[in-house]
Amino acid sequence: MLKGTVFAFLAFAVFAWGDAVVKAIGHGLDPFEVTFIGYLLPFLLSPVFMRKGDRLGHLFRWNRPWLMALRLLFVAISTPLSVMSFRSLPFAEAFALLFLMPSLVTVMSIVVLKEPVRWRRRLAVCAAFVGVLIVARPGFRELLPGHFAAIGCAFASAATVVTGRMMGQTERRFTLIGTVFLSTALLSGVLMVPNFTWPTPGQWVLALSFAVTTFAAQALFTLAATYAPAERVGAAQYSQILWALAIGAAFFDEWPDVWSLVGIAIVVGSGLFIFAREQAVHHDAVPEASPVPVPVSGKP
């Protein structure tokens, strides 16, 4: 169990550093181009996740095709949105908005899955939205496109979780991992065409570093899920906010003000509470593998 917990913390640390690389790229490259480069290499390497009996053809053999297609669409949308948010917002602020995802999962569970949600989780959802308002402070500061991108990413990631729950354990692990890399690369590859520019040598280094961190984090996350129970793996994702605060201060000279720290604490605390309550209802609430570089607490 200890080994799995260590792998989980390492995985989310690598995810956070990958997001830092995205922020370092800045506005020099189209976000869809960054996503395409960042997911093409992991897709080419995805056969390493194959188990005995897996075949490359299993990438296209889906037991629940409509749900798989919907899930892949949400995953493919979420990653470019996360790229847009990280390059436009302070690092910790972007993470705080992305951590709205567990609350959105709860809302969607009520609306889509008709799940009963008790008052404690409902209050935690309300608290999370209050925390987001404190972080963004609409009316007191300018709302940037990155704010809307981060909230959109949280929504798409939550939809990924809900569709994953609807699918259950019907798909192979290799199918789940490989199709996420493939669909994200394909969609981003198409959308990057109008604004494509050839990367400079420095941009190539950063974009390929993003690809390496995406693959490495996925590998570590897969190992974590092998050796540790879901609650240990899932709880480790909240360590990303600590990395965000440290990396933002050390490399981007970003120092959140008091109100931002209060809002971040509320969002993260609410998310942790919701995650703990979700564990009581969904014992498989953490995926075997989720290559999406944002907090994900549900079956991919």
Side-chain angles (χ1 to χ4, degrees), residues 229-251:
E231 62 271 14
R232 292 292 185 92
V233 178
Q237 68 182 326
Y238 289 91
S239 65
Q240 286 181 299
I241 197 67
L242 300 178
W243 283 108
L245 290 168
I247 294 171
F251 294 96

Side-chain angles (χ1 to χ4, degrees), residues 22-106:
V22 168
K23 186 171 181 62
I25 294 174
H27 296 272
L29 286 179
D30 182 83
F32 296 110
E33 187 173 347
V34 174
T35 305
F36 172 76
I37 298 172
Y39 274 67
L40 180 61
L41 179 61
F43 167 67
L44 296 176
L45 297 176
S46 63
V48 303
F49 297 105
M50 296 173 68
R51 292 171 170 171
K52 184 177 181 180
D54 287 342
R55 301 289 184 271
L56 290 177
H58 287 138
L59 285 173
F60 309 101
R61 296 177 187 173
W62 303 342
N63 295 312
R64 305 288 297 276
W66 289 107
L67 283 176
M68 271 289 289
L70 190 60
R71 167 187 171 272
L72 292 175
L73 176 62
F74 284 127
V75 173
I77 291 172
S78 68
T79 304
L81 287 174
S82 72
V83 171
M84 295 177 193
S85 66
F86 282 121
R87 71 180 194 169
S88 301
L89 298 177
F91 207 40
E93 185 172 325
F95 263 111
L97 296 177
L98 294 173
F99 272 108
L100 186 61
M101 187 272 288
S103 299
L104 292 174
V105 169
T106 300

